[in-house]
Amino acid sequence: MTVDTYRPRRSVLYIPASNDKALAKIGTLACDAVIIDLEDAVLAADKKAARDKIAGLLAGREKRCEMVVRINALASEWGADDLLAVAKAEPDGILLPKVGTPRDILEAGDLLDDNSVPDGVKLWAMVETPKALLNIGAIAELGRDPASRLNCFVAGTNDLVKATGILATPDRCYLTPWLMQLVLAARAGGLDVIDGVANDFRDLDAFARECAEGAAMGFDGKSLIHPAQIEPANRAFSPPAEALAKARAIRDAFARPENAGKGVIALDGRMVERLHLAQAEKLLAKAAVIGA
């Protein structure tokens, strides 16, 4: 994703489609994106009623944050109906759960194309199974083809823990190799990538540490389960003041007349290349978008 099309996704809050009280507060939230959930958070008996709400919710939506809907898996009894009903409401994105291969993305995209859904409705993919991780490079490659609609990965860490049997430790040491693999694949495909949820929404100190770790790994943001997590996530995934100061120094140094046309310069005792200038300009542009 280029700076010109940059859309912050520092804080991505799940809200159950069956929770009317929480849905009514969407317009007041400071998160960058909301995922209205038709899948795990909704009981089987309530799924159709939850789906039927989506059109009304999106018709009256405010543009304050990005609006995404997580549907049920296409292989389930609700999936195909979810996809078409949600697509008609034209959310910013549709989050596909249980993605395992590129074909899962392509089949969803074909259904959208066959029903003349505007290109602005993008596909997000949950990476929450061992199969998805084994195929992550091929799935991410679809991000280079705009026709695929694939726009963002979301880590499903709870499902990965369940499916693999690893121990869920506070430092996520057994998950980290797979999370790094996911970030690498997302960057190869030009995709955004969102870190998984932290289940204890009361321990905001632990949550802030996990956000800092996710930002250091290269994630674009964090998926959330409670509004109290929004501010720490926004803070952690915003450029820090020190990084912005360094970026401005690099930009200003290359702008000096004596450095015109130079590929490498010295700044504060360090070698700085034009690739560092590109990184600095990208960081400053993102900061401008989020008001940092």
Side-chain angles (χ1 to χ4, degrees):
M1 183 172 292
T2 66
V3 172
D4 290 340
T5 60
Y6 173 67
R7 193 164 193 174
R9 290 165 176 161
R10 300 164 298 169
S11 50
V12 181
L13 178 65
Y14 286 104
I15 298 180
S18 55
N19 189 333
D20 292 334
K21 184 177 179 181
L23 293 170
K25 296 179 180 179
I26 289 176
T28 68
L29 300 174
C31 53
D32 290 332
V34 164
I35 297 175
I36 301 172
D37 190 15
L38 295 174
E39 194 211 15
D40 287 346
V42 179
L43 296 174
D46 299 329
K47 286 188 182 291
K48 185 180 183 304
R51 178 202 301 150
D52 291 343
K53 293 180 185 179
I54 297 299
L57 285 170
L58 296 182
R61 70 184 184 269
E62 299 180 27
K63 287 293 185 181
R64 177 167 182 169
C65 67
E66 195 170 7
M67 300 287 282
V68 179
V69 181
R70 179 165 71 170
I71 65 171
N72 289 281
L74 288 181
S76 72
E77 61 184 285
W78 308 282
D81 289 338
D82 280 357
L83 180 65
L84 295 180
V86 169
K88 288 179 182 177
E90 298 185 18
D92 296 301
I94 298 174
L95 177 56
L96 305 175
K98 305 299 187 287
V99 167
T101 70
R103 175 51 53 189
D104 296 324
I105 305 294
L106 295 173
E107 287 179 354
D110 287 345
L111 279 171
L112 297 182
D113 293 342
D114 291 345
N115 286 272
S116 302
V117 177
D119 294 340
V121 178
K122 302 302 183 184
L123 292 175
W124 292 26
M126 291 292 305
V127 180
E128 54 187 340
T129 67
K131 187 174 184 179
L133 283 171
L134 289 174
N135 292 318
I136 198 63
I139 297 171
E141 190 63 26
L142 294 176
R144 295 295 178 186
D145 180 7
S148 76
R149 300 178 185 255
L150 184 60
N151 190 255
C152 187
F153 282 151
V154 180
T157 45
N158 284 335
D159 283 273
L160 284 171
V161 168
K162 178 183 176 182
T164 59
I166 63 169
L167 182 64
T169 58
D171 62 1
R172 303 197 296 175
C173 63
Y174 302 113
L175 269 173
T176 296
W178 299 332
L179 294 175
M180 294 300 301
Q181 183 183 1
L182 178 56
V183 171
L184 187 65
R187 297 300 171 239
L191 301 167
D192 276 359
V193 57
I194 310 301
D195 195 3
V197 300
N199 297 317
D200 187 352
F201 58 83
R202 294 167 299 183
D203 191 344
L204 292 180
D205 289 337
F207 176 75
R209 288 193 298 272
E210 196 166 296
C211 284
E213 291 166 359
M217 288 183 205
F219 282 97
D220 294 289
K222 185 79 168 168
S223 43
L224 318 177
I225 58 172
H226 193 278
Q229 298 173 323
I230 294 172
E231 192 277 331
N234 283 347
R235 183 172 64 250
F237 289 95
S238 294
E242 181 181 358
L244 290 174
K246 289 181 179 179
R248 293 188 189 99
I250 291 171
R251 179 197 60 191
D252 294 345
F254 272 102
R256 294 171 190 153
E258 64 268 25
N259 291 328
K262 290 184 179 179
V264 182
I265 63 173
L267 179 63
D268 297 329
R270 296 179 61 248
M271 181 188 74
V272 181
E273 303 178 60
R274 287 204 171 263
L275 67 88
H276 298 116
L277 174 61
Q279 290 174 323
E281 290 175 335
K282 184 176 182 180
L283 187 71
L284 292 170
K286 288 184 175 182
V289 171
I290 62 177

